[in-house]
């Protein structure tokens, strides 16, 4: 498991940051994000909290060994769930990769909340984790296969050398006789 | 505004985004200010939720239908279902500080 975190303060009030949240893309600095779709959105009539599920499409140059080993392509998709809670002036975004999710997860959390003198604090954490169960079962399978191959070859090697020794010494004995 | 994952949904998406953004910007400041009591908050939230539905509901339905089709076409439906099961996130998650080790 790998962790990442960063904190930052934006020189804008919370409401301005949250309005900007929906306008971040397209962005020349994040040209890898090529599509953004809203899959679900609800406005809670009691609390006023807005929950949004978005699907972000990214184009990243993937190392060829990853493409070969795991399949996949240059297109990767991410699911993002956000909660905007105006009463508590709290906004959170949680993102998890959809592509390659059978092999590893990148779980990202972002929070925006008001900071002193009309500024907004930004906290971001991410946990990147390979699915160990899968690796373990793959590793077990590989080990089993290796053991089988080794046993077979060891058996054959023994027989092969037995043949060589027999042939060699039977011949020598005949020559002497 | 960002494109949709499917070119055919992009015009619907941009219409929907414009509708939502306009509504959201009108919603936010009073929602922050009208926060003296739970009743007041609920009354305002209900009114604005209804207003959102009235203003953007129709274009949302059209856009959503288009995206759902596009998600299927791109082979993302199953991955999305799995992610929804694994990380339902029906409620806001705990603050990130609780994740730090």
């Amino acid at each position: 498991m790998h962790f990442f975190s960063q904190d930052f303060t934006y020189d804008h009030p919370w409401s301005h940051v949250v309005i900007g949240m929906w306008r971040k893309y397209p962005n020349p600095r994040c040209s890898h994000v090529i599509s953004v779709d809203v899959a679900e959105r609800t406005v809670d009539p009691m609390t006023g909290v807005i929950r949004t599920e978005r699907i972000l499409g990214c184009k990243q140059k993937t190392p060829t060994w990853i493409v070969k080993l795991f399949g996949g392509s240059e297109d990767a998709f991410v699911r993002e769930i956000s909660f905007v809670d105006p009463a508590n002036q709290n906004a959170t975004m949680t993102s998890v990769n959809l592509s390659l999710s059978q092999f590893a997860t990148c779980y990202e959390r972002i929070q925006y909340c008001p900071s002193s003198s009309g500024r907004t604090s930004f906290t971001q954490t991410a946990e990147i984790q390979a699915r160990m169960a899968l690796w373990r079962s793959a590793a077990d399978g590989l080990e089993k296969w290796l053991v089988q191959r080794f046993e077979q070859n060891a058996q054959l090697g023994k027989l092969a050398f037995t043949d060589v020794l027999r042939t060699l010494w039977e011949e020598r004995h005949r020559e002497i006789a | 505004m960002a494109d949709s994952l499917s070119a055919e949904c992009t015009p619907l998406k941009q219409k929907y985004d414009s509708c939502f953004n306009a509504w959201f910007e009108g919603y936010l400041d009073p929602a922050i200010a009208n926060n003296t009591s739970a009743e007041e908050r609920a009354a305002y939230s209900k009114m604005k939720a209804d207003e959102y539905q009235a203003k953007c509901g129709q274009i949302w339905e059209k856009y959503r239908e288009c995206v759902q089709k596009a998600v299927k076409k791109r082979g993302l439906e199953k991955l999305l279902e799995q992610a929804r099961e694994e990380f339902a996130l029906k409620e806001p998650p705990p603050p990130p500080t609780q994740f730090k080790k």
Side-chain angles (χ1 to χ4, degrees):
Chain A
M1 172 118 73
H2 286 76
F3 291 97
F4 168 87
S5 75
Q6 67 170 340
D7 303 292
F8 187 68
T9 307
Y10 289 103
D11 286 326
H12 298 274
W14 184 80
S15 64
H16 289 194
V17 169
V18 175
I19 284 169
M21 241 168 61
W22 312 119
R23 298 170 181 270
K24 184 172 168 187
Y25 304 112
N27 191 313
R29 284 191 195 270
C30 297
S31 55
H32 61 283
V33 176
I34 51 168
S35 72
V36 180
D37 279 286
V38 180
E40 295 286 346
R41 180 171 269 149
T42 52
V43 182
D44 190 308
M46 286 299 291
T47 60
V49 173
I50 300 171
R51 179 185 184 275
T52 305
E53 180 184 56
R54 297 200 298 183
I55 298 169
L56 284 76
C58 312
K59 225 178 204 34
Q60 301 255 55
K61 275 267 170 273
T62 313
T64 41
W65 71 267
I66 290 182
V67 175
K68 276 185 188 152
L69 196 57
F70 301 112
S73 65
E74 278 194 355
D75 292 340
F77 290 93
V78 170
R79 171 178 174 254
E80 173 207 85
I81 305 290
S82 63
F83 292 91
V84 175
D85 181 351
N88 297 304
Q89 293 197 58
N90 187 29
T92 63
M93 307 175 99
T94 309
S95 308
V96 185
N97 57 303
L98 291 174
S99 309
L100 300 181
S101 57
Q102 65 271 47
F103 302 109
T105 53
C106 177
Y107 188 88
E108 183 204 40
R109 298 255 301 100
I110 285 175
Q111 184 177 35
Y112 297 104
C113 54
S115 172
S116 56
S117 53
R119 303 194 304 164
T120 302
S121 86
F122 160 79
T123 315
Q124 180 185 34
T125 61
E127 295 168 16
I128 296 147
Q129 187 171 29
R131 295 214 190 253
M132 290 317 287
L134 178 117
W135 294 121
R136 245 176 242 133
S137 72
D140 279 354
L142 182 63
E143 274 183 11
K144 267 185 207 148
W145 181 78
L146 287 168
V147 168
Q148 271 174 13
R149 293 295 298 171
F150 188 86
E151 282 173 356
Q152 281 169 11
N153 289 339
Q155 206 61 36
L156 293 172
K158 200 169 68 186
L159 294 174
F161 196 45
T162 307
D163 287 349
V164 168
L165 290 176
R166 194 178 53 228
T167 315
L168 176 68
W169 293 109
E170 276 177 2
E171 262 174 36
R172 294 273 171 103
H173 285 138
R174 261 203 304 276
E175 279 166 21
I176 294 164
Chain B
M1 260 177 270
D3 286 346
S4 168
L5 65 96
S6 157
E8 66 176 311
C9 304
T10 296
L12 290 171
K13 181 211 134 77
Q14 296 192 337
K15 258 192 212 167
Y16 168 72
D17 272 355
S18 304
C19 185
F20 172 78
N21 284 338
W23 172 84
F24 183 69
E25 288 179 30
Y27 167 71
L28 199 57
D29 281 325
I32 295 169
N34 285 1
N35 190 31
T36 43
S37 70
E39 293 79 40
E40 201 178 337
R41 191 198 314 168
Y44 179 74
S45 301
K46 171 84 175 71
M47 182 186 85
K48 290 306 251 186
D50 290 348
E51 185 193 275
Y52 166 64
Q53 183 56 36
K55 279 190 173 165
C56 307
Q58 255 184 333
I59 184 70
W60 164 244
E61 287 305 327
K62 279 187 201 157
Y63 165 54
R64 186 156 91 138
E65 203 177 301
C66 193
V67 173
Q68 281 172 344
K69 268 188 212 154
V71 162
K72 265 187 210 163
K73 243 190 216 165
R74 295 298 285 265
L76 291 170
E77 202 185 21
K78 212 174 157 207
L79 290 170
L80 189 60
E81 271 171 29
Q82 283 170 350
R84 282 171 176 167
E85 258 174 51
E86 193 173 1
F87 308 100
L89 293 163
K90 295 286 178 204
E91 300 295 326
T97 44
Q98 290 181 20
F99 278 83
K100 284 181 188 168
K101 299 249 157 117

